[in-house]
């Protein structure tokens, strides 16, 4: 049975994907609006993890809408949640089991239980959040066991997250919070993540 | 690194335990007030799973308090949550990483995010709910892959859950909802759950 995991190349979505290997054939799915080629960093991370990778194109109108929301709110949280929801809806049309790297302590992008159930019912799918019962502190221990990662500031380097395409669209507005730390998988510490 | 999982012998806590095998040395911990020997059913299930089992004694005062709460509320939900919290607190004094089988859709016993963080901070532990990002529907698929189980009505047969000790204390009051389905692990479908 196949499970499709929204994958940014970072530690959370990587860990979520590894957790599902116990039960499913997992594919890593990275989104792009086609405005940048930052998704290639996620592809490289997927290769390091030795797991199947797929690029999923999201409609540019979604990016336009997200830019408007960010400008209106003067903060990107709602816009990022909006993109995340649209990405899940697209993925739900392509796969019966979908997942992401949302953590217990995440503020954005977090769907409410009602939104989660609505997504599952509308598309008749299973939506799994493998990390939603884990704190950031616990996740750091598991990541340390599994991966060699690089941390970097989102202001210093471009990551594979779709927020970078959003960020790029509105970069002159200085709306994104500074000093947000991103991660990218450099290496998996074991020969196979499947153990 | 050791992780201690509150274990009832049923499918949820069994699945939660298997999920943690990827990262920890997992022990299955079943609670008793010492009023009944129903915990032996959990011990048998743990043997079927080929995983370490430990019995943890809870203070009889907790049971007395839970009986009073059930009688006052005329419903056992708060009392069961109370016992669950006390069990987690006891376990948190004995193990640095603790877990249980709480699901995304569970109503009882569910700690709020504040209560979870408070527990982690007070005892300086990691509390993991491996199933909290999974619906009941998804969990049933995973359980089917992993275990051979028996389902039974809680009115027909006594299970290893501590609610049966509570139930036994107030059995003449007819407060527990009828027709609650329990499960017990009969067999693990693979030679080892560690794959």
């Amino acid at each position: 049975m196949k499970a499709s995991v929204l994958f940014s190349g970072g530690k959370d979505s990587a860990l979520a994907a590894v957790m599902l290997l116990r039960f499913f054939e997992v594919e890593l799915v990275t989104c792009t609006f086609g405005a940048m080629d930052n998704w290639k960093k996620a592809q490289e991370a997927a290769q390091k993890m030795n797991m199947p990778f797929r690029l999923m194109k999201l409609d540019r109108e979604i990016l336009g809408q997200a830019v408007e929301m960010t400008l209106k709110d003067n903060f990107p949280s709602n816009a990022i949640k909006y993109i995340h929801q649209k990405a899940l809806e697209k993925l739900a049309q392509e796969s019966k089991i979908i997942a992401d790297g949302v953590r217990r302590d995440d503020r954005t992008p977090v769907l409410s239980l009602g939104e989660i159930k609505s997504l599952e019912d509308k598309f008749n799918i299973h939506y799994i959040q493998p990390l939603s019962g884990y704190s950031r502190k616990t996740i750091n221990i598991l990541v340390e066991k599994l991966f060699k990662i690089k941390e970097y500031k989102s202001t210093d380097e471009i990551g594979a997250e779709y927020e970078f395409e959003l960020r790029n669209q509105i970069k002159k507005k200085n709306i994104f919070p500074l000093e947000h730390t991103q991660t990218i998988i450099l290496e998996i510490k074991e020969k196979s993540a499947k153990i």
Side-chain angles (χ1 to χ4, degrees), chain A residues 94-154:
Chain A
E94 301 172 357
S95 190
K96 281 290 156 208
I97 297 166
I98 69 173
D100 58 25
V102 169
R103 294 188 314 252
R104 188 187 82 186
D105 305 331
D106 269 343
R107 300 246 162 201
T108 303
V110 176
L111 275 65
S112 69
L113 187 53
E115 288 168 334
I116 289 171
K117 287 184 173 175
S118 161
L119 179 74
E120 287 187 330
D121 291 347
K122 184 174 175 188
F123 296 99
N124 190 28
I125 52 113
H126 298 261
Y127 170 36
I128 306 175
Q129 297 177 320
L131 305 190
S132 80
Y134 296 77
S135 73
R136 178 194 292 258
K137 193 174 73 163
T138 309
I139 285 169
N140 286 343
I141 288 179
L142 307 188
V143 165
E144 169 66 25
K145 277 179 185 259
L146 275 188
F147 305 118
K148 184 179 168 187
I149 62 169
K150 182 175 80 167
E151 292 198 331
Y152 60 94
K153 301 293 175 201
S154 51

Side-chain angles (χ1 to χ4, degrees), chain A residues 24-152:
Chain A
F24 305 107
E25 289 161 38
V26 179
E27 68 164 2
L28 305 173
V29 180
T30 299
C31 298
T32 182
F33 296 106
M36 292 166 66
D37 65 355
N38 59 329
W39 58 267
K40 288 182 178 172
K41 292 199 173 187
Q43 186 180 37
E44 283 167 26
Q47 283 163 355
K48 303 276 172 57
M49 292 171 69
N50 197 26
M51 289 173 71
F53 173 85
R54 182 159 68 84
L55 188 65
M56 184 172 78
K57 190 95 194 310
L58 293 180
D59 202 316
R60 282 291 277 270
E61 275 180 31
I62 296 167
L63 181 59
Q65 189 70 28
V67 168
E68 277 182 37
M69 289 170 83
T70 308
L71 295 177
K72 180 167 167 285
D73 296 349
N74 210 31
F75 205 73
S77 297
N78 288 330
I80 290 172
K81 180 181 167 180
Y82 171 75
I83 298 174
H84 187 67
Q85 270 183 303
K86 291 295 178 189
L88 286 171
E89 285 173 11
K90 180 89 187 274
L91 199 56
Q93 294 170 59
E94 301 172 357
S95 190
K96 281 290 156 208
I97 297 166
I98 69 173
D100 58 25
V102 169
R103 294 188 314 252
R104 188 187 82 186
D105 305 331
D106 269 343
R107 300 246 162 201
T108 303
V110 176
L111 275 65
S112 69
L113 187 53
E115 288 168 334
I116 289 171
K117 287 184 173 175
S118 161
L119 179 74
E120 287 187 330
D121 291 347
K122 184 174 175 188
F123 296 99
N124 190 28
I125 52 113
H126 298 261
Y127 170 36
I128 306 175
Q129 297 177 320
L131 305 190
S132 80
Y134 296 77
S135 73
R136 178 194 292 258
K137 193 174 73 163
T138 309
I139 285 169
N140 286 343
I141 288 179
L142 307 188
V143 165
E144 169 66 25
K145 277 179 185 259
L146 275 188
F147 305 118
K148 184 179 168 187
I149 62 169
K150 182 175 80 167
E151 292 198 331
Y152 60 94

